[in-house]
Amino acid sequence: MTKLVTGSEELARKLAAIKDHVAAELRAELVKAGHVVADDARALAESSRRTGDLIESIHVTGPGETTPPHSTDGGQRTAGPFEVLVTAGDTDARHAHLVEGGTKPRMHKDGTTTGAMPAAPFFNPAWRLNRRRLEQRINRAMRKAFREASR
């Protein structure tokens, strides 16, 4: 037979409140971080602008949302509860990976060739540029939310 410790129900309520508050604050901060990376990726993609389709195809997908069709990973994906996805590419712009990595000349069976295109990275540099600062900002927001909720 187990005996409840006095106050354990109150502690359980407080812990649940802390969990809910921290989760809500964390999700909001993750979405903000996704927008920072997306904004920088758009700015870096300006150098490869022809029609603007690539720049317009950079999307931020929040927790529980689904990425656009034909985005970076080649299909659609639903973000997890604590996950934000920044993707490039959609049904109108399916060439983000070619701009990011460049292309080599290629001979087709019919004798035609495709030209080489130098890489114009925009996506990975945007992530690397912001990663450390955003991780620190997210951690700071989580600690603050925990302190606020535990009062």
Side-chain angles (χ1 to χ4, degrees):
M1 180 170 164
T2 57
K3 181 178 176 182
L4 285 176
V5 177
T6 307
S8 63
E9 292 162 353
E10 181 184 347
L11 178 62
R13 275 195 306 277
K14 279 188 174 186
L15 290 174
I18 289 171
K19 177 184 156 201
D20 294 342
H21 181 71
V22 171
E25 293 294 320
L26 177 59
R27 284 186 187 102
E29 197 62 39
L30 287 170
V31 170
K32 283 184 206 174
H35 283 288
V36 169
V37 172
D39 290 344
D40 282 352
R42 287 185 196 103
L44 291 168
E46 278 294 330
S47 66
S48 65
R49 177 187 281 274
R50 290 221 174 123
T51 64
D53 287 345
L54 176 63
I55 295 165
E56 292 170 13
S57 77
I58 298 172
H59 297 285
V60 177
T61 305
E65 298 174 357
T66 303
T67 61
H70 308 292
S71 60
T72 302
D73 61 356
Q76 284 185 296
R77 183 167 166 239
T78 302
F82 295 101
E83 185 176 41
V84 171
L85 306 172
V86 179
T87 57
D90 56 20
T91 53
D92 294 330
R94 297 173 72 174
H95 60 285
H97 62 292
L98 301 174
V99 173
E100 182 79 14
T103 62
K104 293 181 181 178
R106 185 172 166 200
M107 177 70 78
H108 295 281
K109 290 179 183 177
D110 63 2
T112 61
T113 61
T114 58
M117 182 177 72
F122 63 97
F123 201 80
N124 286 324
W127 168 243
R128 286 192 308 267
L129 191 72
N130 291 293
R131 179 180 176 186
R132 182 161 294 156
R133 184 173 51 91
L134 293 176
E135 285 175 348
Q136 291 170 349
R137 198 164 93 180
I138 289 165
N139 287 336
R140 197 168 38 252
M142 232 174 20
R143 286 190 301 270
K144 180 182 175 197
F146 183 80
R147 279 192 309 271
E148 288 172 354
S150 60
R151 289 182 187 161

